[in-house]
Amino acid sequence: MENRIAVLCIIVDDRVASSNVNRLLNAYGEFIIGRMGIPHRDACAIITVVLDCPVDTINALSGKLGRLEHVQIKSMMAT
């Protein structure tokens, strides 16, 4: 399957959930070409992740992140 470039925008509204997010991102680390985290106030963090991988991998990671409590995620893929 052909690789695609994707951007994930992740909002974590409880810092306790950050460890689960980081665990998943580390598991998919071989596909991550860039990552930026921005802490916002005490209760929120915004993370952007750029991936280069097959669509199935993008969907798998997005789905796993989306099932975590206190985590919201949106993804966008290049055509």
Side-chain angles (χ1 to χ4, degrees):
M1 185 178 287
E2 187 177 316
N3 280 9
R4 302 275 296 271
I5 299 294
V7 178
L8 305 182
C9 180
I10 306 162
I11 297 177
V12 183
D13 62 23
D14 185 343
R15 293 265 174 135
V16 174
S18 294
S19 61
N20 291 328
V21 171
N22 284 323
R23 179 183 47 79
L24 281 171
L25 293 178
N26 287 334
Y28 286 83
E30 66 186 279
F31 303 110
I32 295 175
I33 58 175
R35 175 180 172 175
M36 179 177 61
I38 304 168
H40 182 66
R41 300 194 185 111
D42 290 332
C44 180
I46 301 106
I47 304 166
T48 56
V49 178
V50 181
L51 302 165
D52 183 1
C53 57
V55 173
D56 290 347
T57 304
I58 297 164
N59 291 336
L61 176 57
S62 296
K64 289 175 184 177
L65 287 166
R67 285 190 291 277
L68 295 176
E69 276 191 65
H70 306 290
V71 176
Q72 299 174 57
I73 179 167
K74 294 292 180 186
S75 62
M76 181 175 61
M77 285 183 254
T79 55

